[in-house]
Amino acid sequence: MDTYYDPRDLNLFESIGKDAPELAKKFFDYYGAVFTEGALSEREKALIALAVAHTVQCPYCIDAYTQACLEKGSDLEEMSEAMHVAAAIRGGASLVHGVQMRKIAEKLSL
Amino acid sequence: MQEPKKSAGQEPASGVEHFSCTLKRHDLHFARRRCRILQINTGLLCDLACKHCHLEAGPQRREIMSAETMQEVVAFAHRGNFEMIDVTGGAPELVPGIAGFLSELADCAPHVLLRSNLTALGGKAREELLATLCRHRIALVVSFPSLREAQVEAQRGSGVWEKSLAMLNRLNELGYGRADSGLELHLAVNPGGAFLPANQESMEKRYRRELEKRWGIVFNRLFTLTNAPLGRFKHWLEKSGNYQGYMRKLAESFNPEAVPAVMCREQISVSWDGTVFDCDFHLAAGICQGEKRTQVRDLPGPPPEGTPIATADHCYACTAGAGFT
């Protein structure tokens, strides 16, 4: 496949532990623990993961957590709202830095 | 264990290990236990044509159970000493004589349940049937696949959402789903696509909370059901390029612990024409019980313990994840 991203690579995720098995194990243990039901349900956690996947723009994560959200009973309305939460935070994070821009510009301006 | 006979080239390659090989690899066997459940498919006529229907039921179908076959099934139900009788379709509500049939079945087993799509149960024409259901305390398992109108209607057709909510309210009015009424109302939830169902317990919790809060609807239990790769659903899987991916997902989700609980081990399924199958999915696939086509009137009783059960790749749907309820 003539691209950096191959959907089949998602299934090879565990192979990142090949030359660092102990560190990989720590990560996967942690990863597994994060997504088990706690104060938040597995369904809610999958929606958060889907939103975060859009902010970090990880196609593997978007693939995995779109499927996970559907399999945990979420629907497109909820998934779309989660995506907009990500977009709002992402856009808002850019805009709020505008305060710095304004302060710096004001300091430098007559 | 038997393998279904298939003609070469008729089936698209599922790309997964044959189900019987997977069982063998786990040293598991599909053998019958005592047959507790009689499942009756009353026909393929339905007022809906849901996209996931493994039987391709719909308004154009004409296959329904005749009065004569109903009597043969009732006689068999008496011979079989079943604990439960599970009546399904199509839409059983549309079959002439269904109220009388259910009344007779209620005398044959302690528990009788009717699977309904909710829409076929509505309207003035079904009042007699509703009265029969209440009188015999027949449990209802009704399809309600999503809490969103758009998703329900994408799967089941336009107008289904309003009719379903109205019927759930009517059933609650009659006492169905209410504590201590003795009238059981269970929801059946199928995923709306090529993915596995959600965890049953958390789904039930969410449906209970939202249905009561938004529409004041109550129910007893919720069952999540995996879509079987058969019939209309299989056609959609193939057309949308999801067939192999879905089969792979089912096979990868094979849970050896689900095998002892698969429904075919304790039930027998009779079709609208009286033919006997191991389950409703084998009925859809045309895989008869006991290798040859047998009519219910010719059976002295249910198949004895140890009788082999045919397997096919769609059996993965019953062993994926938590298994098939």
Side-chain angles (χ1 to χ4, degrees):
Chain A
M1 194 172 184
D2 194 17
T3 167
Y4 284 114
Y5 288 120
D6 181 343
R8 288 172 297 189
D9 287 347
L10 180 56
N11 298 327
L12 305 175
F13 189 13
E14 286 187 15
S15 72
I16 57 115
K18 198 173 173 190
D19 294 309
E22 286 175 19
L23 289 174
K25 185 179 180 313
K26 284 179 195 288
F27 172 79
F28 285 117
D29 285 348
Y30 169 73
Y31 192 96
V34 163
F35 283 97
T36 54
E37 184 119 355
L40 294 174
S41 67
E42 289 186 3
R43 192 180 79 87
E44 289 163 333
K45 288 181 178 185
L47 282 168
I48 294 169
L50 182 69
V52 174
H54 282 79
T55 63
V56 298
Q57 293 185 306
C58 169
Y60 302 121
C61 307
I62 291 171
D63 184 343
Y65 284 97
T66 297
Q67 293 195 47
C69 283
L70 290 169
E71 291 189 346
K72 293 187 188 308
S74 292
D75 53 55
L76 268 176
E77 197 177 328
E78 294 167 314
M79 291 155 68
S80 298
E81 283 187 18
M83 186 184 68
H84 280 289
V85 170
I89 293 295
R90 203 181 160 107
S94 293
L95 285 175
V96 76
H97 283 80
V99 175
Q100 292 193 19
M101 176 271 284
R102 296 188 67 81
K103 281 165 70 179
I104 294 165
E106 280 165 15
K107 187 181 176 186
L108 295 176
S109 302
L110 285 170
Chain B
M1 207 177 313
Q2 310 152 34
E3 291 297 324
K5 293 186 179 75
K6 287 178 188 170
S7 307
Q10 281 186 343
E11 295 281 321
S14 65
V16 298
E17 179 181 52
H18 193 282
F19 185 75
S20 62
C21 299
T22 301
L23 285 183
K24 209 170 181 179
R25 192 158 48 76
H26 287 271
D27 198 23
L28 293 165
H29 305 277
F30 264 21
R32 281 190 165 278
R33 288 197 289 253
R34 189 177 74 75
C35 194
R36 303 186 300 115
I37 304 166
L38 170 62
Q39 186 174 59
I40 303 164
N41 190 307
T42 55
L44 301 184
L45 174 63
C46 189
D47 59 328
L48 304 179
C50 301
K51 286 183 182 162
H52 67 278
C53 184
H54 61 277
L55 287 158
E56 300 184 71
Q60 311 304 322
R61 302 300 296 261
R62 291 291 169 260
E63 300 92 329
I64 52 168
M65 189 171 275
S66 66
E68 189 187 353
T69 305
M70 283 182 183
Q71 287 315 304
E72 290 169 0
V73 173
V74 168
F76 176 68
H78 277 297
R79 293 198 293 278
N81 197 27
F82 296 100
E83 287 174 18
M84 181 184 282
I85 297 178
D86 172 2
V87 180
T88 186
E93 299 94 323
L94 304 185
V95 179
I98 189 68
F101 185 44
L102 288 167
S103 296
E104 290 193 68
L105 291 173
D107 293 333
C108 301
H111 303 288
V112 177
L113 67 88
L114 175 71
R115 296 186 193 230
S116 170
N117 67 12
L118 283 175
T119 60
L121 198 49
K124 284 191 177 165
R126 311 279 174 252
E127 286 301 314
E128 183 205 340
L129 177 58
L130 283 173
T132 302
L133 296 173
C134 293
R135 191 166 58 249
H136 293 290
R137 302 212 178 293
I138 290 172
L140 291 174
V141 180
V142 302
S143 306
F144 195 76
S146 172
L147 293 164
R148 298 277 181 269
E149 179 176 355
Q151 200 168 322
V152 165
E153 303 212 342
Q155 189 170 338
R156 312 184 65 212
S158 177
V160 170
W161 174 256
E162 283 299 328
K163 285 183 187 169
S164 300
L165 286 179
M167 198 62 224
L168 284 172
N169 272 312
R170 172 87 177 104
L171 290 171
N172 278 176
E173 277 170 20
L174 291 168
Y176 269 99
R178 299 205 177 277
D180 306 326
S181 69
L183 297 171
E184 294 174 27
L185 176 63
H186 309 297
L187 304 188
V189 177
N190 284 77
F195 49 90
L196 296 180
N199 173 277
Q200 188 162 282
E201 205 180 318
S202 56
M203 193 76 130
E204 181 176 299
K205 215 182 285 180
R206 188 170 152 234
Y207 268 61
R208 197 178 296 291
R209 192 178 58 231
E210 293 207 28
L211 280 176
E212 182 147 29
K213 188 174 141 199
R214 289 157 70 182
W215 299 287
I217 291 167
V218 292
F219 62 93
N220 296 97
R221 295 280 314 275
L222 178 146
F223 302 114
T224 55
L225 312 175
T226 305
N227 290 320
L230 290 164
R232 204 173 283 132
F233 185 62
K234 185 179 179 186
H235 298 321
W236 173 80
L237 287 171
E238 288 167 2
K239 215 167 113 185
S240 60
N242 280 304
Y243 181 61
Q244 292 196 338
Y246 187 67
M247 290 306 299
R248 200 164 49 241
K249 184 175 278 288
L250 291 182
E252 282 168 359
S253 307
F254 176 78
N255 175 11
E257 289 176 19
V259 170
V262 286
M263 59 183 177
C264 57
R265 299 189 64 192
E266 296 186 336
Q267 74 158 30
I268 187 157
S269 186
V270 182
S271 78
W272 60 94
D273 65 354
T275 311
V276 180
F277 297 88
D278 288 311
C279 70
D280 208 53
F281 298 137
H282 279 11
L283 186 160
I287 303 168
C288 293
Q289 194 274 326
E291 282 190 309
K292 63 179 196 319
R293 200 175 176 83
T294 308
Q295 291 298 113
V296 69
R297 62 175 171 268
D298 299 325
L299 279 185
E305 283 185 45
T307 307
I309 300 170
T311 60
D313 285 350
H314 58 252
C315 298
Y316 278 119
C318 292
T319 56
F324 203 97
T325 309

